[in-house]
Amino acid sequence: MRKKGLQITNDHGWTIERLQEQERKMKKANMAKRIAVIRLIMQGYLGIQVAELLNLHRETVSIYVQKFNQGGMDALLERRYAPGRKPYLSPEEERELKKMLEESTPADEGYGIETGWNTRIIQHVLEEKFSVTMSRGGIGDILHRW
């Protein structure tokens, strides 16, 4: 008895031709590949064949088919990104620091006699004012972002 391969149980109104067209329009190659998985399965290819043709893992092919069957094209193309690391400073603290750097000097703020800000001085400000320990490289990154 032959085991049944992957199947599209709900085409959500998509035809092979429409899928091909969508694939061609897709700007991101990895998203076009997801659509190609669905098209090839609809054309009768086995999951393992699709995996080999598109250089994907069998399990990935299976996941894409499952997503499409459940939620159509939206579910297939949805990407969930992990949240990034929590920022060292809140938006308010960042605004306060930026304002201080733009409108005063270290001497004005009581950080020695310097007339210009540098990452070493900013490091002290962050520790004293916001209880934040940051590398000078990280501070450089913030300044660059601004």
Side-chain angles (χ1 to χ4, degrees):
M1 188 173 124
R2 187 178 171 280
K3 184 175 169 256
K4 241 167 69 170
L6 288 173
Q7 286 188 318
I8 301 301
T9 55
N10 181 350
D11 65 15
H12 299 276
W14 286 88
T15 62
I16 290 168
E17 294 73 29
R18 274 188 68 211
L19 287 168
Q20 277 176 319
E21 198 178 309
Q22 189 69 24
E23 241 177 282
R24 279 195 293 272
K25 284 184 193 166
M26 198 50 65
K27 300 250 188 295
K28 292 185 174 161
N30 59 337
M31 292 300 159
K33 204 179 248 196
R34 290 178 181 213
I35 297 168
V37 165
I38 304 310
R39 176 181 52 80
L40 290 167
I41 295 292
M42 280 171 86
Q43 288 175 320
Y45 285 86
L46 296 172
I48 186 118
Q49 294 171 312
V50 174
E52 284 174 16
L53 280 168
L54 298 176
N55 197 24
L56 292 169
H57 193 279
R58 287 189 324 272
E59 187 64 26
T60 304
V61 170
S62 182
I63 289 166
Y64 291 166
V65 169
Q66 191 179 7
K67 283 182 175 195
F68 183 80
N69 281 335
Q70 287 170 353
M73 193 57 72
D74 290 343
L76 178 68
L77 300 180
E78 182 186 18
R79 286 288 311 244
R80 288 204 184 102
Y81 294 99
R85 187 174 63 203
K86 186 178 169 291
Y88 286 98
L89 297 173
S90 70
E92 299 79 45
E93 291 170 334
E94 209 170 290
R95 278 193 293 277
E96 189 180 332
L97 177 65
K98 189 174 183 183
K99 186 175 178 355
M100 180 194 301
L101 299 182
E102 288 172 347
E103 297 176 4
S104 65
T105 67
D108 294 340
E109 298 291 334
Y111 294 99
I113 56 167
E114 314 278 348
T115 55
W117 294 101
N118 63 40
T119 54
R120 185 180 44 77
I121 299 169
I122 296 170
Q123 203 172 30
H124 290 297
V125 171
L126 289 172
E127 285 172 9
E128 282 186 25
K129 216 171 172 61
F130 305 110
S131 305
V132 168
T133 305
M134 236 177 132
S135 71
R136 289 171 68 180
I139 292 165
D141 290 345
I142 285 181
L143 297 174
H144 184 75
R145 194 174 70 236
W146 290 344

